[in-house]
Amino acid sequence: MTPTPGNVDPVPPAHTEPASGLSTADARARLAEYGPNELPPSRRVPWPVRILRLLAEPMSILLIAAAVVDAVGLGQTVDAAAILAIVALNAAIAFFQEGKAAAALEALRSMESPRARLLRDGSPTEVPAREVVPGDVVLLSAGDRIPADLRLLEASMLEIDESLLTGESLPVAKTPGATDGSGIAERPGMAFSGTVVIRGVGRGVAVVTGPRTELGRIAERLREREPATPLQRELRATTFRLGAMAIVIAVGVFGLTLARMGFTEESLQRSFLASVALAVAAVPEGLATVVTVALAVGVRAMAARGAIVRRLAAVETLGAATVILTDKTGTLTENRMRLEAAATIDRPPGPLASLPDRAWTTATEIAALCNDAELDPPSGDPMDVAVLEAVGSYRVADLRRRATRLGEVP
């Protein structure tokens, strides 16, 4: 049975026993049928195609045409070689930058895949997320990254951060139930691949995996060819204007010179050379180099801040933004918080450690004991994690070791 994307369940409930999950043999068979639970790698463009794509830019074509005319029409082989060297340098800079970005993205993708906790053969087990198959019963708890699109079977105070898909930074409460809503936000009975459990526990049956998940559908749309950036459109328009201007100048000079010198073989040759020389002079050979070097400097500056830019021209698009209005904090940031300052009624804000001894003791006890987040590894509500980080892992561990929290066995 071929699985379908969205909220259609390709594995009828009768094919999975919620209390025991799949058997190892059944899981292997489904893995062979549905394939690994991972997104397909990005399409790798062969290097000759990448070079030709860079050379097919209108500015590069105009410079190559100017070099050919310089060499064949005017006999200026040195100038022609210099122009071609500029074109090759521009293409080389862009080619190697795109290659470095692609390698960095592939390195991120090839990092150790997360693991998933499942019910297999009636017992909880942990497997690589890529081995999750439709029909697997997945166990969920705070801090888990959901490995596939799940139909929830059980949920206790379960909240999931779906900002990756919806842009809403607040966690969403989940309850088993209807899954026939048209949008992601209208399906509280579903948990989606790539989202993170903030608090609570639950279990769900995997209904779709890999590229058929909601995350996979988004990734597939991102694989479509990217449109030209504003800089590329402007450079192409400038190139066409310069090309048209050069042709008009060449034709005008050729006609005026020929009219002045008369229609002889010598005047035809001189008129042609003069018009061609002016046309080539109108081409700004240094423009492409200046633009490429400026963009390369921008890419390097972005890389120093941990940002990967795949296409050189994309830097200009980012630089052209002067104001960004958004409320989607969970998608534009790491969705992490940090406690900057704490204050009492009679003291100004300052670091948590600067509080008076009694206030510090009380504040750290409340922060550590009235908190469901964990620090190793960080999991739970981002604000709760930020408070614990300000208290410090040693203090948190010490307080939780010496105190009995509500619901715990003394």
Side-chain angles (χ1 to χ4, degrees):
M1 183 182 299
T2 303
T4 56
N7 56 0
V8 179
D9 188 348
V11 182
H15 289 191
T16 300
E17 178 53 52
S20 60
L22 297 175
S23 66
T24 301
D26 197 8
R28 289 175 181 171
R30 296 192 184 193
L31 183 62
E33 178 182 359
Y34 294 102
N37 177 36
E38 58 186 2
L39 300 181
S42 58
R43 299 186 182 96
R44 298 188 63 86
V45 181
W47 65 266
V49 176
R50 290 168 54 197
I51 292 178
L52 289 177
R53 184 180 297 171
L54 293 170
L55 295 178
E57 288 291 327
M59 181 59 72
S60 298
I61 295 174
L62 183 61
L63 291 176
I64 293 173
V68 172
V69 172
D70 231 357
V72 178
L74 303 178
Q76 302 291 335
T77 55
V78 176
D79 291 347
I83 295 175
L84 292 177
I86 290 173
V87 175
L89 177 62
N90 296 338
I93 293 175
F95 179 82
F96 285 114
Q97 171 56 37
E98 289 182 2
K100 288 173 60 179
L105 291 172
E106 189 62 26
L108 290 177
R109 182 183 176 276
S110 62
M111 291 175 64
E112 183 180 1
S113 61
R115 302 182 68 82
R117 292 184 301 114
L118 314 172
L119 279 180
R120 288 273 178 92
D121 298 313
S123 302
T125 185
E126 191 173 280
V127 302
R130 69 185 307 273
E131 296 181 8
V132 176
V133 297
D136 262 325
V137 176
V138 182
L139 306 177
L140 303 176
S141 60
D144 290 345
R145 185 173 293 276
I146 297 173
D149 284 3
L150 312 178
R151 178 170 52 81
L152 293 176
L153 303 173
E154 299 176 5
S156 175
M157 301 180 66
L158 185 64
E159 293 187 7
I160 297 178
D161 175 12
E162 295 184 344
S163 59
L164 178 71
L165 300 177
T166 65
E168 297 296 338
S169 59
L170 295 177
V172 179
K174 293 292 184 176
T175 56
T179 62
D180 57 353
S182 58
I184 294 176
E186 287 77 38
R187 285 183 268 171
M190 293 287 294
F192 300 100
S193 175
T195 59
V196 179
V197 179
I198 298 299
R199 59 171 60 91
V201 294
R203 70 170 65 186
V205 59
V207 293
V208 285
T209 58
R212 297 172 293 273
T213 62
E214 294 290 342
L215 183 63
R217 297 169 67 189
I218 294 175
E220 184 62 29
R221 287 197 293 268
L222 292 177
R223 287 158 60 90
E224 298 174 0
R225 186 162 184 178
E226 300 172 355
T229 66
L231 177 63
Q232 288 177 316
R233 292 196 294 268
E234 185 63 29
L235 282 177
R236 289 172 184 175
T238 301
T239 301
F240 289 130
R241 288 196 296 268
L242 289 173
M245 186 186 305
I247 293 174
V248 170
I249 291 174
V251 172
V253 170
F254 180 78
L256 291 174
T257 306
L258 196 61
R260 183 179 181 84
M261 298 179 63
F263 290 89
T264 64
E265 183 177 349
E266 183 180 358
S267 64
L268 282 172
Q269 184 178 4
R270 290 186 177 183
S271 300
F272 174 76
L273 292 177
S275 60
V276 168
L278 285 174
V280 172
V283 177
E285 292 88 351
L287 176 60
T289 302
V290 171
V291 171
T292 302
V293 171
L295 293 177
V297 171
V299 168
R300 186 172 181 179
M302 295 293 292
R305 295 177 175 269
I308 298 174
V309 180
R310 179 182 298 182
R311 297 170 61 203
L312 217 58
V315 177
E316 182 271 343
T317 305
L318 181 62
T322 54
V323 177
I324 299 177
L325 302 178
T326 178
D327 63 348
K328 308 300 183 186
T329 56
T331 52
L332 294 181
T333 69
E334 295 179 348
N335 207 21
R336 296 177 58 187
M337 295 183 181
R338 182 174 60 192
L339 181 62
E340 288 286 346
T344 60
I345 296 177
D346 56 346
R347 295 176 65 92
L352 184 64
S354 67
L355 293 177
D357 291 344
R358 184 176 179 182
W360 179 84
T361 300
T362 303
T364 54
E365 287 179 350
I366 294 173
L369 302 179
C370 301
N371 195 321
D372 292 324
E374 298 290 343
L375 282 180
D376 188 23
S379 62
D381 186 86
M383 187 175 71
D384 293 344
V385 174
V387 172
L388 291 186
E389 289 177 341
V391 173
S393 59
Y394 178 80
R395 174 69 172 165
V396 171
D398 181 59
L399 288 170
R400 290 184 173 180
R401 183 173 59 252
R402 292 190 288 110
T404 300
R405 303 173 66 205
L406 185 63
E408 292 182 348
V409 178

